[in-house]
Amino acid sequence: MATLDEIGEQDDWMCWLCDKPVDPDASVNDGRGPSVDSRITKKKAKKKVREMPERLAHRDCNTGKGNSEAVVAWADHLFVVDPAVILTTVDRLAKKNGREAVGRCPTRDDAEEAGAWLLDRLQRLEPTVTFETAIEPGGGQFLLLLKT
Ligand SMILES: [Zn+2]
């Protein structure tokens, strides 16, 4: 098992769930302090989908400390209709390459902004997988696709 410091270095002292910095010097008993999250949600614990690496999380964000399900939120400023559940989509694509729609946007600019945000977010969420986005117009909207 890796130490807290090693996992902190690996994740650049950013919380894998809320994507905000974790203070390495904060007390591990502090809610905003560092903790190691085994990255296993209830569903995955039952199914044992794939080996989940340990990740750095704030103590309050850690899924092993009372929060039952890990949730990675879309940023508030994005305009995405029917946004996909990020973790579920990413886990599926990481397991089996392919492409999936992750949301619909009213304009191409919205889709490009959401796609750029998502790729940046995924660099930290799933650093071992290379993702790409694509935008497909249709029905007066723009479909945002995530590909591996
Ligand atoms: Zn956090």
Side-chain angles (χ1 to χ4, degrees):
M1 257 183 56
T3 66
L4 182 60
D5 275 349
E6 285 166 353
I7 291 168
E9 299 281 319
Q10 160 205 291
D11 281 348
D12 276 335
W13 296 100
M14 295 287 278
C15 173
W16 81 278
L17 281 168
C18 73
D19 203 31
K20 301 214 166 66
V22 178
D23 180 358
D25 298 323
S27 161
V28 291
N29 296 315
D30 187 323
R32 302 299 288 166
S35 74
V36 173
D37 194 341
S38 58
R39 217 201 135 157
I40 290 179
T41 61
K42 268 184 189 161
K43 223 186 308 169
K44 283 180 196 125
K46 257 184 265 162
K47 281 171 72 186
K48 284 246 173 194
V49 180
R50 65 195 170 100
E51 199 66 34
M52 289 292 161
E54 291 178 305
R55 302 300 302 266
L56 182 75
H58 292 110
R59 191 174 189 272
D60 280 351
C61 294
N62 193 324
T63 53
K65 299 238 164 38
N67 297 337
S68 54
E69 199 70 64
V71 174
V72 171
W74 287 80
D76 288 339
H77 68 275
L78 301 172
F79 204 139
V80 183
V81 183
D82 292 338
V85 180
I86 293 177
L87 267 182
T88 312
T89 306
V90 162
D91 280 341
R92 262 200 308 267
L93 286 175
K95 211 163 45 142
K96 185 171 178 280
N97 288 349
R99 49 184 254 160
E100 287 195 26
V102 291
R104 290 175 290 123
C105 300
T107 69
R108 183 176 282 278
D109 281 353
D110 289 324
E112 274 169 10
E113 195 184 354
W117 175 85
L118 188 61
L119 286 183
D120 176 65
R121 183 70 185 87
L122 295 183
Q123 272 179 13
R124 292 180 298 282
L125 184 69
E126 198 63 84
T128 56
V129 182
T130 308
F131 292 98
E132 281 175 55
T133 54
I135 297 167
E136 279 183 7
Q141 289 185 319
F142 293 86
L143 191 65
L144 180 60
L145 298 151
L146 186 64
K147 305 191 285 185
T148 44

